[in-house]
Amino acid sequence: MQKPIGVIDSGVGGLTVARELMRQLPKEKLIYLGDTRRCPYGPRSEEEVRRFTWQMVNHLLEHNIKMLIVACNTATAYTLEELQENLSIPVIGVIQPGARAAIKVSQNKRIGVIGTEGTIDSNAYPHVLKSIDQTIRVNALACPLLVPMVENGLLEGEAAEDIVARTLAPLKAMNHIDTLILGCTHYPLIKNLIQNEMGSHIQVISSGEETAREASLILAYHGSLESGGGHSVHEFYTTGDVDKFRTVANSWFDEPVLVLKLAELEHVKSSAY
């Protein structure tokens, strides 16, 4: 029986990672869980994020997943090491892949990072970037308005452009970065708006492609790549509004996806112990 890859996110943002997984690993089955009802995670405490993340993880473990991808940057920042220590399957976050991709393309070693309050406050990106290259200079900016905008399906138009412009103004004023990491998987859904606002001279990096590549390498190392034929039927679960989730998902994928409503996660075990 085919074992799926589990993907968790605070909402629809992880769909950007899921799409790359589907593109690079077309034989694999995905089970995606977006906690849209409790999104955004960024303003929440570390304890809340850890509890919510474990509830999602323990739910997906019931589906006999062979790998877990934490597609939420805030959850990655707060729980990745704990998950890796406590789970018997490979666990991948999105911060290290995004940081590596940024370092590859930056010419002046001045890298900007935008993300939720939780991700930025954790200093996860500066820590990872400087652990790879101590000479990297990082400018980080919390963008609390962007996740709610994306979750509400506001992906284009004047209102969206205005929110993005006001949000990114402090980073633009610095005027010396040459690379910008989208430190939240929601942001690639509005990558064109961000790129237009920052200018074509800025390399805008999302972690989806690099994360999918890492997943492929790890599965190959463990001999767990799916080799069978046929078309996998992916499952997408949301704790929130199914119609909103489906609208965003269908705008992001080439074909309609199966979206299912998940009952409340509050009663799912929320820790490894």
Side-chain angles (χ1 to χ4, degrees):
M1 182 178 177
Q2 182 182 16
K3 287 188 176 183
I5 298 172
V7 183
I8 59 170
D9 185 59
S10 63
V12 299
L15 295 174
T16 60
V17 177
R19 187 172 77 165
E20 271 302 315
L21 289 165
M22 291 160 65
R23 185 179 71 83
Q24 294 188 35
L25 298 167
K27 294 181 179 180
E28 301 293 339
K29 175 187 173 77
L30 301 186
I31 297 183
Y32 180 102
L33 173 51
D35 191 13
T36 47
R37 190 176 63 81
R38 299 186 294 195
C39 186
Y41 279 13
R44 295 186 180 276
S45 68
E46 179 175 349
E47 190 278 329
E48 270 190 312
V49 172
R50 288 178 64 243
R51 187 171 77 251
F52 294 173
T53 300
W54 271 109
Q55 286 171 345
M56 289 194 289
V57 169
N58 285 319
H59 177 79
L60 286 191
L61 289 175
E62 295 176 2
H63 291 266
N64 198 27
I65 58 174
K66 63 182 176 182
M67 168 180 277
L68 174 69
I69 297 179
V70 185
C72 173
N73 282 264
T74 306
T76 297
Y78 288 149
T79 69
L80 182 64
E81 289 185 9
E82 181 181 347
L83 291 168
Q84 290 173 332
E85 289 172 2
N86 285 280
L87 298 183
S88 60
I89 57 174
V91 183
I92 300 174
V94 286
I95 291 177
Q96 284 217 1
R100 287 197 300 268
I103 287 175
K104 284 180 186 176
V105 303
S106 179
Q107 297 296 308
N108 67 5
K109 298 190 177 185
R110 296 185 174 187
I111 296 173
V113 181
I114 56 175
T116 67
E117 302 100 307
T119 299
I120 300 304
D121 289 347
S122 75
N123 283 316
Y125 273 101
H127 176 75
V128 171
L129 287 163
K130 289 179 178 292
S131 72
I132 299 171
D133 184 344
Q134 290 186 345
T135 66
I136 295 289
R137 294 177 61 181
V138 184
N139 291 106
L141 176 68
C143 304
L145 298 179
L146 297 188
V147 169
M149 184 181 94
V150 171
E151 286 288 327
N152 285 313
L154 188 59
L155 307 179
E156 57 186 0
E158 288 186 16
E161 291 169 4
D162 180 62
I163 292 171
V164 169
R166 286 188 285 114
T167 296
L168 297 180
L171 199 58
K172 283 187 71 178
M174 296 174 187
N175 203 33
H176 60 251
I177 65 169
D178 73 344
T179 304
L180 177 64
I181 298 174
L182 303 182
C184 173
T185 49
H186 283 73
Y187 299 171
L189 289 159
I190 51 170
K191 182 178 180 180
N192 289 342
L193 296 180
I194 293 170
Q195 183 75 74
N196 290 341
E197 185 60 30
M198 295 301 297
S200 59
H201 62 291
I202 302 294
Q203 292 270 7
V204 177
I205 301 296
S206 60
S207 58
E209 184 175 339
E210 201 77 14
T211 302
R213 186 176 296 117
E214 185 165 319
S216 177
L217 290 171
I218 291 174
L219 288 174
Y221 175 80
H222 287 282
S224 301
L225 280 172
E226 182 62 38
S227 58
H231 179 70
S232 295
V233 179
H234 308 294
E235 298 174 21
F236 294 82
Y237 293 89
T238 175
T239 59
D241 189 309
V242 171
D243 291 334
K244 275 187 180 179
F245 188 100
R246 186 182 292 114
T247 297
V248 175
N250 287 343
S251 72
W252 195 239
F253 294 113
D254 297 327
E255 58 187 56
V257 297
L258 174 66
V259 180
L260 303 167
K261 175 78 172 184
L262 184 67
E264 292 183 1
L265 282 169
E266 280 85 345
H267 304 301
V268 177
K269 186 177 69 169
S270 60
S271 75
Y273 311 107

